[in-house]
Amino acid sequence: VQLQASGGGLVQAGGSLRLSCAASGRIFSSHVMGWFRQAPGKEREFVAAMRWSNTNTKYADSVKGRFTVSKNGPENTAYLQMNSVKPEDTAVYYCAASSQFSTQTTEYFNWGQGTLVTVSS
């Protein structure tokens, strides 16, 4: 499966943005869809993950209560709804797949090209 993140852009602090992750190819129920981000000069970090079969989710503490992951199964698309964004959310956001319900980048594969989110203060 190939993944492509989109929907990034410039948003003011306190605003909202929804990112999409479109999959070409079949997403198996055993898959986990993960969202990660990488700010300039920093390592890629976990943001959120969702188990495709039952939509169980987990979030990084830094985004808990502000970001929500969801999916549109028939369209093979996952979403990251970002609310109450902060300047520190500025980063390139990536989606990837895993067979593990993990927060570790090394457990994920099929990384797509990222989408840039810039939050202005």
Coordinates of all heavy atoms in Angstrom, one line a residue, residues 7-76:
G7 N -3.2 18.2 2.8 CA -4.0 19.0 3.6 C -3.3 20.0 4.5 O -3.9 20.8 5.2
G8 N -2.0 20.0 4.4 CA -1.2 21.0 5.2 C -1.4 22.4 4.7 O -1.9 22.6 3.6
G9 N -0.9 23.3 5.5 CA -0.9 24.7 5.1 C -0.6 25.6 6.3 O -0.1 25.2 7.3
L10 N -0.9 26.9 6.1 CA -0.7 27.9 7.1 C -1.9 28.1 7.9 O -3.0 28.3 7.3 CB -0.2 29.2 6.4 CG 0.0 30.4 7.4 CD1 1.2 30.1 8.3 CD2 0.3 31.6 6.5
V11 N -1.9 28.1 9.2 CA -3.0 28.3 10.1 C -2.6 29.1 11.3 O -1.4 29.0 11.7 CB -3.6 26.9 10.5 CG1 -2.6 26.0 11.2 CG2 -4.9 27.1 11.3
Q12 N -3.5 29.9 11.8 CA -3.2 30.7 12.9 C -3.3 29.9 14.2 O -4.1 28.9 14.3 CB -4.1 31.9 13.0 CG -3.8 33.0 12.0 CD -4.6 34.3 12.3 OE1 -5.7 34.2 12.8 NE2 -4.0 35.4 11.9
A13 N -2.5 30.2 15.2 CA -2.7 29.5 16.5 C -4.1 29.6 17.0 O -4.8 30.6 16.9 CB -1.7 30.2 17.5
G14 N -4.6 28.5 17.5 CA -5.9 28.3 17.9 C -6.9 27.8 16.9 O -8.0 27.5 17.2
G15 N -6.4 27.8 15.6 CA -7.2 27.4 14.5 C -7.2 25.9 14.4 O -6.7 25.1 15.2
S16 N -7.8 25.4 13.2 CA -8.0 24.0 13.0 C -7.5 23.7 11.6 O -7.6 24.5 10.7 CB -9.5 23.6 13.1 OG -9.9 23.8 14.4
L17 N -7.2 22.4 11.4 CA -6.7 21.9 10.1 C -7.0 20.4 10.0 O -6.9 19.8 11.1 CB -5.2 22.2 9.9 CG -4.7 22.3 8.5 CD1 -5.3 23.4 7.7 CD2 -3.1 22.5 8.5
R18 N -7.4 19.9 8.9 CA -7.6 18.5 8.8 C -6.6 17.9 7.7 O -6.7 18.3 6.6 CB -9.0 18.1 8.4 CG -9.3 16.6 8.5 CD -10.7 16.2 8.2 NE -11.0 16.2 6.8 CZ -12.0 15.5 6.3 NH1 -12.9 14.9 7.1 NH2 -12.2 15.6 5.0
L19 N -5.8 17.0 8.1 CA -4.9 16.3 7.2 C -5.6 15.0 6.7 O -6.3 14.4 7.5 CB -3.6 16.0 7.9 CG -2.9 17.2 8.5 CD1 -1.5 16.7 9.1 CD2 -2.7 18.3 7.6
S20 N -5.2 14.6 5.5 CA -5.7 13.4 5.0 C -4.5 12.5 4.6 O -3.5 12.9 4.3 CB -6.5 13.6 3.7 OG -7.6 14.4 4.0
C21 N -4.8 11.2 4.7 CA -3.8 10.2 4.3 C -4.5 9.2 3.4 O -5.3 8.4 3.8 CB -3.2 9.5 5.5 SG -2.1 8.1 5.1
A22 N -4.2 9.3 2.1 CA -4.9 8.5 1.1 C -4.0 7.3 0.8 O -2.8 7.4 0.6 CB -5.2 9.3 -0.2
A23 N -4.7 6.1 0.8 CA -4.0 4.9 0.5 C -4.3 4.3 -0.8 O -5.5 4.2 -1.1 CB -4.3 3.9 1.6
S24 N -3.3 4.0 -1.6 CA -3.6 3.3 -2.9 C -3.2 1.9 -2.7 O -2.1 1.6 -2.3 CB -2.8 4.0 -4.0 OG -1.4 3.9 -3.7
G25 N -4.2 1.0 -2.8 CA -4.0 -0.4 -2.4 C -4.8 -0.7 -1.2 O -5.3 0.2 -0.5
R26 N -4.9 -2.0 -0.9 CA -5.7 -2.4 0.1 C -5.1 -2.2 1.5 O -4.0 -2.5 1.7 CB -6.0 -3.9 -0.1 CG -7.0 -4.5 1.0 CD -7.3 -5.9 0.7 NE -8.1 -6.5 1.8 CZ -8.4 -7.8 1.9 NH1 -7.9 -8.6 1.0 NH2 -9.1 -8.2 2.9
I27 N -5.9 -1.7 2.4 CA -5.5 -1.6 3.8 C -6.2 -2.8 4.5 O -7.4 -2.9 4.5 CB -6.0 -0.3 4.4 CG1 -5.4 0.9 3.7 CG2 -5.6 -0.2 5.9 CD1 -5.9 2.3 4.2
F28 N -5.3 -3.6 5.1 CA -5.8 -4.7 5.8 C -6.3 -4.4 7.2 O -5.8 -3.4 7.8 CB -4.8 -5.8 5.9 CG -4.4 -6.4 4.5 CD1 -3.4 -5.9 3.8 CD2 -5.1 -7.4 4.0 CE1 -3.0 -6.4 2.5 CE2 -4.8 -7.9 2.7 CZ -3.8 -7.4 2.0
S29 N -7.3 -5.1 7.7 CA -7.8 -4.8 9.0 C -6.7 -4.9 10.1 O -6.9 -4.3 11.1 CB -9.0 -5.8 9.3 OG -8.5 -7.1 9.3
S30 N -5.7 -5.6 9.8 CA -4.6 -5.8 10.8 C -3.7 -4.6 10.8 O -2.8 -4.4 11.7 CB -3.8 -7.0 10.5 OG -3.2 -7.0 9.2
H31 N -3.8 -3.7 9.9 CA -3.0 -2.5 9.8 C -3.3 -1.5 10.9 O -4.4 -1.4 11.3 CB -3.1 -1.9 8.4 CG -2.3 -2.6 7.4 ND1 -2.6 -2.5 6.0 CD2 -1.2 -3.3 7.4 CE1 -1.7 -3.2 5.3 NE2 -0.8 -3.7 6.1
V32 N -2.2 -0.8 11.2 CA -2.3 0.4 12.0 C -1.9 1.6 11.2 O -0.8 1.5 10.6 CB -1.4 0.3 13.3 CG1 -1.4 1.6 14.1 CG2 -1.9 -0.9 14.2
M33 N -2.6 2.6 11.2 CA -2.3 3.9 10.5 C -1.7 4.8 11.6 O -2.3 5.1 12.6 CB -3.5 4.5 9.8 CG -4.1 3.5 8.8 SD -2.9 3.1 7.5 CE -2.7 4.6 6.7
G34 N -0.5 5.3 11.3 CA 0.1 6.2 12.2 C 0.4 7.6 11.6 O 0.6 7.7 10.4
W35 N 0.4 8.6 12.5 CA 0.7 9.9 12.1 C 2.0 10.3 12.9 O 2.0 10.1 14.1 CB -0.4 10.9 12.4 CG -1.6 10.8 11.5 CD1 -2.7 10.1 11.6 CD2 -1.7 11.4 10.2 NE1 -3.5 10.2 10.6 CE2 -3.0 11.1 9.7 CE3 -0.9 12.3 9.4 CZ2 -3.4 11.5 8.4 CZ3 -1.4 12.8 8.2 CH2 -2.6 12.4 7.7
F36 N 2.9 10.9 12.2 CA 4.2 11.4 12.8 C 4.4 12.8 12.3 O 3.8 13.2 11.3 CB 5.3 10.5 12.4 CG 5.2 9.1 13.0 CD1 4.4 8.1 12.5 CD2 6.0 8.8 14.1 CE1 4.3 6.9 13.0 CE2 5.9 7.5 14.7 CZ 5.0 6.6 14.1
R37 N 5.3 13.5 12.9 CA 5.7 14.8 12.5 C 7.2 15.0 12.7 O 7.8 14.4 13.6 CB 4.9 15.9 13.2 CG 5.1 16.0 14.7 CD 4.1 17.0 15.2 NE 4.3 17.2 16.7 CZ 3.5 17.9 17.4 NH1 2.4 18.5 16.9 NH2 3.7 18.1 18.7
Q38 N 7.7 15.9 11.9 CA 9.2 16.3 12.1 C 9.3 17.8 11.9 O 9.1 18.3 10.8 CB 10.0 15.5 11.1 CG 11.5 15.7 11.3 CD 12.3 14.7 10.5 OE1 11.8 14.0 9.6 NE2 13.6 14.5 10.9
A39 N 9.7 18.4 13.0 CA 10.0 19.9 13.0 C 11.4 20.1 12.5 O 12.2 19.2 12.6 CB 9.7 20.4 14.3
P40 N 11.7 21.3 12.0 CA 13.1 21.6 11.6 C 14.1 21.3 12.7 O 13.9 21.8 13.8 CB 13.0 23.1 11.2 CG 11.6 23.3 10.8 CD 10.8 22.4 11.8
G41 N 15.1 20.6 12.3 CA 16.2 20.3 13.3 C 15.9 19.3 14.4 O 16.7 19.1 15.3
K42 N 14.7 18.7 14.3 CA 14.3 17.7 15.3 C 14.1 16.4 14.7 O 13.9 16.2 13.5 CB 13.0 18.2 16.0 CG 13.2 19.5 16.8 CD 12.0 19.8 17.7 CE 12.2 21.0 18.6 NZ 11.0 21.3 19.4
E43 N 14.0 15.3 15.5 CA 13.7 14.0 15.0 C 12.2 13.8 14.8 O 11.4 14.5 15.4 CB 14.2 13.0 16.0 CG 15.7 13.0 16.2 CD 16.2 11.8 17.0 OE1 15.4 11.0 17.5 OE2 17.5 11.6 17.0
R44 N 11.9 12.9 13.9 CA 10.5 12.5 13.7 C 9.9 12.0 15.0 O 10.5 11.1 15.6 CB 10.4 11.5 12.5 CG 9.1 11.4 12.0 CD 9.1 10.6 10.7 NE 9.9 11.3 9.6 CZ 9.9 10.9 8.4 NH1 9.3 9.8 8.0 NH2 10.7 11.5 7.5
E45 N 8.7 12.4 15.3 CA 8.1 12.0 16.5 C 6.6 11.5 16.2 O 6.0 11.9 15.3 CB 8.0 13.1 17.5 CG 7.2 14.3 17.2 CD 7.1 15.4 18.3 OE1 7.8 15.2 19.3 OE2 6.4 16.3 18.1
F46 N 6.2 10.6 17.1 CA 4.9 10.1 17.0 C 3.8 11.1 17.4 O 4.0 11.9 18.3 CB 4.8 8.9 18.0 CG 3.4 8.3 18.2 CD1 2.8 7.5 17.2 CD2 2.7 8.7 19.3 CE1 1.5 7.0 17.4 CE2 1.4 8.2 19.5 CZ 0.8 7.3 18.5
V47 N 2.7 11.1 16.7 CA 1.6 12.0 16.9 C 0.4 11.2 17.4 O -0.2 11.4 18.4 CB 1.3 12.9 15.7 CG1 0.0 13.7 16.0 CG2 2.5 13.8 15.4
A48 N 0.0 10.2 16.5 CA -1.2 9.5 16.8 C -1.2 8.2 16.0 O -0.6 8.1 14.9 CB -2.5 10.3 16.5
A49 N -2.0 7.3 16.4 CA -2.2 6.0 15.6 C -3.6 5.5 15.8 O -4.2 5.7 16.8 CB -1.2 5.0 16.1
M50 N -4.0 4.8 14.8 CA -5.4 4.2 14.8 C -5.3 2.8 14.2 O -4.8 2.6 13.2 CB -6.3 5.0 14.0 CG -7.7 4.4 13.9 SD -8.8 5.5 12.9 CE -8.1 5.3 11.3
R51 N -5.9 1.8 15.0 CA -6.0 0.5 14.5 C -7.1 0.4 13.5 O -8.2 0.8 13.8 CB -6.2 -0.5 15.6 CG -6.1 -2.0 15.2 CD -6.4 -2.9 16.4 NE -5.4 -2.8 17.5 CZ -4.2 -3.4 17.5 NH1 -3.8 -4.1 16.5 NH2 -3.5 -3.2 18.6
W52 N -6.8 0.0 12.3 CA -7.8 0.1 11.2 C -9.1 -0.7 11.4 O -10.2 -0.4 11.1 CB -7.2 -0.3 9.8 CG -7.9 0.1 8.7 CD1 -8.8 -0.6 7.8 CD2 -7.9 1.5 8.1 NE1 -9.3 0.2 6.9 CE2 -8.8 1.5 7.0 CE3 -7.3 2.7 8.5 CZ2 -9.0 2.6 6.3 CZ3 -7.5 3.8 7.8 CH2 -8.4 3.8 6.6
S53 N -8.9 -1.9 12.1 CA -10.0 -2.8 12.3 C -11.1 -2.3 13.3 O -12.3 -2.4 13.0 CB -9.5 -4.1 12.8 OG -8.8 -4.0 14.0
N54 N -10.6 -1.7 14.4 CA -11.6 -1.3 15.4 C -11.5 0.1 15.8 O -12.2 0.5 16.8 CB -11.4 -2.2 16.6 CG -10.1 -2.1 17.2 OD1 -9.3 -1.2 16.9 ND2 -9.7 -3.1 18.1
T55 N -10.7 0.9 15.1 CA -10.5 2.3 15.4 C -10.0 2.7 16.8 O -10.2 3.8 17.2 CB -11.8 3.2 15.0 OG1 -12.8 2.8 15.9 CG2 -12.2 3.0 13.6
N56 N -9.4 1.7 17.5 CA -8.7 2.0 18.7 C -7.6 3.1 18.4 O -7.0 3.0 17.3 CB -8.1 0.8 19.3 CG -9.0 0.0 20.1 OD1 -10.2 0.3 20.2 ND2 -8.6 -1.2 20.6
T57 N -7.4 4.0 19.3 CA -6.5 5.1 19.0 C -5.5 5.3 20.2 O -5.8 4.9 21.3 CB -7.2 6.4 18.7 OG1 -8.0 6.7 19.8 CG2 -8.1 6.3 17.4
K58 N -4.4 5.9 19.8 CA -3.5 6.4 20.9 C -2.9 7.7 20.4 O -2.8 7.9 19.2 CB -2.4 5.4 21.2 CG -1.5 5.0 20.2 CD -0.4 4.1 20.7 CE -0.9 2.8 21.2 NZ 0.3 1.9 21.7
Y59 N -2.5 8.5 21.3 CA -2.0 9.9 21.0 C -0.8 10.2 21.8 O -0.7 9.8 23.0 CB -3.1 10.9 21.3 CG -4.4 10.8 20.4 CD1 -5.4 10.0 20.9 CD2 -4.5 11.4 19.2 CE1 -6.6 9.9 20.1 CE2 -5.6 11.2 18.4 CZ -6.7 10.5 18.9 OH -7.8 10.3 18.1
A60 N 0.0 11.1 21.3 CA 1.1 11.6 22.0 C 0.5 12.6 23.1 O -0.5 13.2 22.8 CB 2.1 12.4 21.1
D61 N 1.1 12.7 24.2 CA 0.6 13.6 25.3 C 0.5 15.0 24.8 O -0.4 15.8 25.2 CB 1.5 13.5 26.5 CG 1.4 12.2 27.2 OD1 0.4 11.5 27.0 OD2 2.3 11.9 28.0
S62 N 1.4 15.4 23.9 CA 1.4 16.8 23.4 C 0.2 17.2 22.6 O -0.1 18.4 22.4 CB 2.7 17.1 22.6 OG 2.8 16.2 21.5
V63 N -0.5 16.2 22.0 CA -1.7 16.5 21.2 C -3.0 15.9 21.7 O -4.0 16.2 21.2 CB -1.4 15.9 19.7 CG1 -0.1 16.4 19.2 CG2 -1.5 14.4 19.7
K64 N -2.9 15.2 22.8 CA -4.1 14.6 23.4 C -5.1 15.6 23.7 O -4.8 16.7 24.3 CB -3.7 13.8 24.6 CG -4.7 12.7 25.0 CD -4.1 11.8 26.1 CE -2.9 11.0 25.6 NZ -2.4 10.1 26.7
G65 N -6.3 15.4 23.3 CA -7.4 16.4 23.6 C -7.5 17.4 22.5 O -8.5 18.2 22.5
R66 N -6.6 17.5 21.6 CA -6.6 18.5 20.5 C -6.7 17.9 19.1 O -7.3 18.4 18.3 CB -5.4 19.4 20.6 CG -5.2 20.2 21.9 CD -4.1 21.2 21.8 NE -2.8 20.6 21.6 CZ -2.0 20.9 20.5 NH1 -2.4 21.7 19.6 NH2 -0.8 20.2 20.4
F67 N -6.0 16.8 19.0 CA -6.0 16.1 17.7 C -6.9 14.8 17.8 O -6.9 14.2 18.8 CB -4.6 15.7 17.3 CG -3.6 16.8 17.0 CD1 -4.0 18.1 17.2 CD2 -2.4 16.6 16.5 CE1 -3.1 19.2 16.9 CE2 -1.5 17.6 16.1 CZ -1.9 18.9 16.4
T68 N -7.5 14.5 16.6 CA -8.3 13.3 16.6 C -8.0 12.6 15.3 O -8.0 13.2 14.2 CB -9.8 13.6 16.6 OG1 -10.0 14.4 17.8 CG2 -10.6 12.4 16.6
V69 N -7.8 11.3 15.3 CA -7.7 10.4 14.1 C -9.0 9.8 13.8 O -9.7 9.4 14.7 CB -6.5 9.4 14.3 CG1 -5.2 10.1 14.3 CG2 -6.7 8.5 15.5
S70 N -9.2 9.6 12.5 CA -10.4 8.9 12.1 C -10.2 8.3 10.7 O -9.1 8.5 10.2 CB -11.6 9.9 12.0 OG -11.4 10.9 11.1
K71 N -11.2 7.7 10.2 CA -11.0 7.0 8.9 C -12.3 7.1 8.1 O -13.3 7.2 8.6 CB -10.5 5.6 9.0 CG -11.6 4.7 9.5 CD -11.1 3.2 9.5 CE -12.3 2.3 9.9 NZ -11.9 0.9 9.8
N72 N -12.1 7.0 6.8 CA -13.2 6.7 5.9 C -12.8 5.4 5.2 O -12.1 5.3 4.2 CB -13.4 7.8 4.9 CG -14.6 7.6 3.9 OD1 -14.9 6.4 3.6 ND2 -15.2 8.6 3.5
G73 N -13.3 4.2 5.7 CA -12.9 2.9 5.3 C -13.1 2.7 3.8 O -12.2 2.3 3.1
P74 N -14.3 2.9 3.3 CA -14.6 2.7 1.8 C -13.7 3.5 0.9 O -13.4 3.1 -0.2 CB -16.0 3.1 1.7 CG -16.6 2.9 3.0 CD -15.6 3.3 4.0
E75 N -13.2 4.7 1.4 CA -12.3 5.5 0.6 C -10.8 5.3 0.9 O -10.0 6.0 0.4 CB -12.7 7.0 0.7 CG -14.0 7.3 0.2 CD -14.3 8.8 0.1 OE1 -13.4 9.6 0.5 OE2 -15.4 9.2 -0.4
N76 N -10.6 4.3 1.8 CA -9.2 4.0 2.2 C -8.4 5.3 2.6 O -7.3 5.5 2.1 CB -8.4 3.3 1.0 CG -8.6 1.8 1.1 OD1 -9.3 1.3 1.9 ND2 -7.9 1.2 0.1

